[in-house]
Amino acid sequence: KEDISEYEKGCVINFLEHIDEQGRIPLQITRDTYLPWDFCVTNEKTNIHKPCLAQHAVFIVKNNGGDSEWLKPYFGDLLKFIDYYINNFRHHNGIYFWHDDGAIGVDNDPSTFYRPLDSSGSIYLNCLMYKELEAVCHLGQLLEVDISRYQLEKEHLKNSVQEHCYDEKDGMYYSVDLN
């Protein structure tokens, strides 16, 4: 079995090194540009990297005997990325939403596809965000960083999803129309 941990670390670090001053991380990084949506040029609101970087980092840490020191120089950027989601993609009811249907990871999802901007409280995104908050809390504990604010946000999100996304009739969680 080949050890790919350095490559894995590089994947996480590469995205964190491309964070902008607002906390946005591109969806994709190529050698020459930030395709497909180059927000570094337009400064318009757009979907950004999915909230899965902390989860990826936890996977690496757990597979490397708990070593999290490699992440220490980048942890502030990871928190800045999470803060961007909290401040720009969270409805007042606590549910997270996609800005539009571009690069959301689920092609033609009827709860998001071709809908008004900022209206799709996708259950997929909210699950990703909950797990991302859980992961950033785990990493913060390992790095001895105060993550109490993110623990509160995680609990707030859990309560919001239970209140707004659960359908008692079906016994399932669904995406929410925020309009």
Side-chain angles (χ1 to χ4, degrees):
K1 184 175 177 180
E2 187 178 335
D3 181 14
I4 61 167
S5 61
E6 291 306 310
Y7 172 79
E8 292 267 345
K9 290 176 192 176
C11 290
V12 172
I13 291 168
N14 192 29
F15 276 103
L16 290 172
E17 285 182 341
H18 284 85
I19 194 169
D20 74 2
E21 65 283 343
Q22 295 180 52
R24 300 177 300 179
I25 296 177
L27 292 164
Q28 176 182 354
I29 300 170
T30 67
R31 183 176 302 183
D32 302 316
T33 184
Y34 299 88
L35 294 174
W37 295 275
D38 190 355
F39 58 69
C40 295
V41 175
T42 64
N43 206 27
E44 291 180 23
K45 186 175 179 185
T46 185
N47 292 332
I48 61 173
H49 194 290
K50 289 170 197 64
C52 61
L53 288 171
Q55 295 170 72
H56 193 172
V58 166
F59 173 80
I60 296 165
V61 168
K62 286 184 175 183
N63 284 298
N64 284 289
D67 174 31
S68 59
E69 286 301 306
W70 62 274
L71 188 60
K72 192 174 263 186
Y74 305 97
F75 194 67
D77 287 332
L78 185 57
L79 296 179
K80 190 175 182 181
F81 169 65
I82 299 296
D83 288 340
Y84 189 81
Y85 262 97
I86 291 170
N87 295 325
N88 294 279
F89 292 103
R90 184 181 61 178
H91 191 263
H92 62 80
N93 68 8
I95 298 295
Y96 287 84
F97 56 84
W98 297 118
H99 175 63
D100 57 32
D101 59 2
I104 62 169
V106 184
D107 290 341
N108 302 324
D109 176 354
S111 67
T112 305
F113 184 68
Y114 206 63
R115 291 194 33 80
L117 299 178
D118 302 337
S119 69
S120 176
S122 167
I123 191 65
Y124 171 60
L125 172 60
N126 283 275
C127 290
L128 280 176
M129 194 64 191
Y130 182 82
K131 294 304 284 183
E132 189 74 346
L133 289 163
E134 187 174 66
V136 86
C137 290
H138 177 74
L139 293 168
Q141 289 173 337
L142 292 175
L143 295 169
E144 299 178 350
V145 173
D146 178 19
I147 39 80
S148 56
R149 186 166 90 78
Y150 302 96
Q151 289 171 326
L152 290 172
E153 180 60 26
K154 182 182 74 152
E155 289 307 309
H156 179 65
L157 175 56
K158 178 181 173 182
N159 294 332
S160 295
V161 166
Q162 289 174 341
E163 179 181 348
H164 300 290
C165 299
Y166 186 71
D167 182 292
E168 289 187 29
K169 177 181 157 249
D170 291 346
M172 294 181 65
Y173 292 88
Y174 291 107
S175 297
V176 176
D177 179 352
L178 297 173
N179 282 338

